[in-house]
Amino acid sequence: MFIRSKRFFLSLFLLIFINSFAQQKEYRLQFKTPKELHRFLSHSDKSIPLVSAHRGGPVKGFPENCTATFNNSIQYNPTIIETDIALSKDSVLVMMHDNTLDRTTTGIGKIDNYTYQELQQLFLEDNEGNQTPYKIETLDEVLKWGKDKVIYTLDVKKGVPMQMIVDAVRRNQAERYSVIITYNASQAAEVAKLAPDLMISVSARGKEDVERMENLGVKADKMIAFVGTSEPKPEVYQYLHSRKIACILGTMGNIDKSAAAKGDSLYYKLIENGANVLSSDRHIEAGIQLRKYADDKKLKSKHIKISKI
């Protein structure tokens, strides 16, 4: 195994510096039952807009898909954590977006060429390539951490059996804070058959997509719709909302770049236009605008708890 030398002490100093200025509170999302989660994620006129931290919300010193990063994210906003699950050589569910280790760790090569124990010899890197003190975590570790803190949207990478994901959610009693991401109708139908009680993130941009999934056994009241990475037509929101299906708009990429260049008030406008959740690489900036929208509209939820740390 080859380990690339990194600027470890500089990264550690950066972590200490960031933490010294961290906000002294946490925004937690808490649900007693899966039904409470389902009601919270169903669209209504009183829906609280939420930010989804893409890959957990990595920033300087905090790498992708890591509970330390998740913990940093919830110090700024109540947060949905979008996180990625891959499979090690010995079939351990681990948190990793890429097929290879090169970009996000001190290792190289394909992740499925390494056993879990071999992966534990590596360190995660932040998005600037700085080594951090954090290790690759398992899905079990992540699910245990998330209880009474966040909602997870679990992005299952290619080749990972959905049954293993469902089993992990069950094993950790995480049904009340977990949503499984699917990319097509057949995947959604597979999850609905394996776990009819779980919420599913589905790709849907209108009536045809929803009805196709319903015909395959996916219940509309278990759907939250990912509508793409560009704004859909108003009628898309109108139809999905008429079915009480909340909508996730992916702002990572062009929309985030536009907001950074032209002003973060764009995020506020996207919620006004019909999005319920913004999945963003700028979760801090987007979340500020979403909290402003909720304050302006006097939207509150008993499921959002703010605690001092």
Side-chain angles (χ1 to χ4, degrees):
M1 183 182 296
F2 296 96
I3 307 296
R4 291 176 284 133
S5 61
K6 297 294 174 182
R7 301 180 295 277
F8 179 78
F9 290 107
L10 175 62
S11 181
L12 187 60
F13 173 79
L14 182 61
L15 280 175
I16 295 170
F17 179 80
I18 289 172
N19 284 334
S20 68
F21 289 95
Q23 297 191 11
Q24 299 301 304
K25 58 186 174 182
E26 287 182 345
Y27 295 84
R28 297 188 172 202
L29 290 165
Q30 300 181 353
F31 306 92
K32 293 180 180 178
T33 66
K35 286 185 177 180
E36 282 192 355
L37 173 67
H38 301 166
R39 286 194 293 267
F40 181 78
L41 292 179
S42 296
H43 171 76
S44 78
D45 292 338
K46 296 182 179 180
S47 292
I48 304 289
L50 287 177
V51 67
S52 173
H54 187 223
R55 303 181 192 174
V59 294
K60 288 183 180 180
F62 291 98
E64 296 179 359
N65 296 308
C66 172
T67 55
T69 304
F70 306 165
N71 193 68
N72 181 65
S73 294
I74 66 172
Q75 291 181 35
Y76 297 93
N77 297 290
T79 306
I80 296 175
I81 295 290
E82 187 270 346
T83 190
D84 305 284
I85 308 156
L87 202 60
S88 69
K89 183 179 181 179
D90 52 345
S91 298
V92 176
L93 294 169
V94 292
M95 313 312 296
M96 183 66 54
H97 177 272
D98 298 359
N99 293 326
T100 61
L101 297 163
D102 303 55
R103 183 180 64 86
T104 59
T105 79
T106 54
I108 59 173
K110 292 185 177 180
I111 189 168
D112 58 8
N113 286 340
Y114 292 77
T115 66
Y116 171 69
Q117 289 303 322
E118 289 170 335
L119 291 172
Q120 289 305 290
Q121 299 177 44
L122 307 176
F123 289 93
L124 293 171
E125 297 176 351
D126 67 16
N127 284 352
E128 295 188 355
N130 298 309
Q131 182 177 321
T132 74
Y134 306 119
K135 301 275 191 173
I136 297 171
E137 293 173 297
T138 65
L139 178 57
D140 283 324
E141 290 173 317
V142 164
L143 290 175
K144 285 183 175 69
W145 178 88
K147 181 181 178 182
D148 292 329
K149 295 185 182 77
V150 299
I151 298 170
Y152 283 124
T153 52
L154 303 175
D155 193 345
V156 185
K157 309 317 287 184
K158 187 176 181 180
V160 179
M162 285 292 186
Q163 182 68 66
M164 291 185 70
I165 305 301
V166 171
D167 289 347
V169 170
R170 300 285 195 223
R171 184 166 60 246
N172 292 281
Q173 299 181 325
E175 295 92 341
R176 57 191 168 97
Y177 54 96
S178 296
V179 179
I180 297 180
I181 295 174
T182 62
Y183 288 93
N184 54 55
S186 61
Q187 279 189 336
E190 180 185 1
V191 175
K193 185 176 181 180
L194 290 171
D197 57 317
L198 293 185
M199 288 293 289
I200 306 173
S201 172
V202 301
S203 293
R205 292 180 70 92
K207 182 177 181 180
E208 183 178 324
D209 291 337
V210 171
E211 289 185 346
R212 182 184 300 113
M213 285 182 283
E214 287 183 306
N215 290 335
L216 292 173
V218 186
K219 302 296 185 183
D221 65 356
K222 299 299 189 294
M223 297 181 192
I224 181 167
F226 183 79
V227 297
T229 56
S230 59
E231 273 201 289
K233 295 179 180 179
E235 52 264 33
V236 172
Y237 285 136
Q238 290 166 9
Y239 171 75
L240 292 169
H241 289 168
S242 75
R243 299 295 308 275
K244 297 185 178 181
I245 299 172
C247 299
I248 304 173
L249 175 64
T251 67
M252 57 283 201
N254 289 336
I255 297 178
D256 277 346
K257 290 177 183 177
S258 182
K262 299 178 181 179
D264 294 339
S265 60
L266 173 60
Y267 297 121
Y268 190 109
K269 184 65 174 176
L270 294 172
I271 297 298
E272 278 190 322
N273 291 348
N276 302 100
V277 176
L278 300 182
S279 182
S280 177
D281 285 325
R282 302 180 73 240
H283 64 99
I284 296 172
E285 295 86 351
I288 290 170
Q289 292 297 312
L290 270 54
R291 283 193 285 117
K292 182 178 185 301
Y293 179 93
D295 289 343
D296 289 348
K297 304 297 181 181
K298 295 181 171 55
L299 301 173
K300 295 182 179 179
S301 173
K302 65 180 182 180
H303 300 294
I304 298 174
K305 311 291 185 182
I306 304 175
S307 59
K308 293 183 178 180
I309 58 173

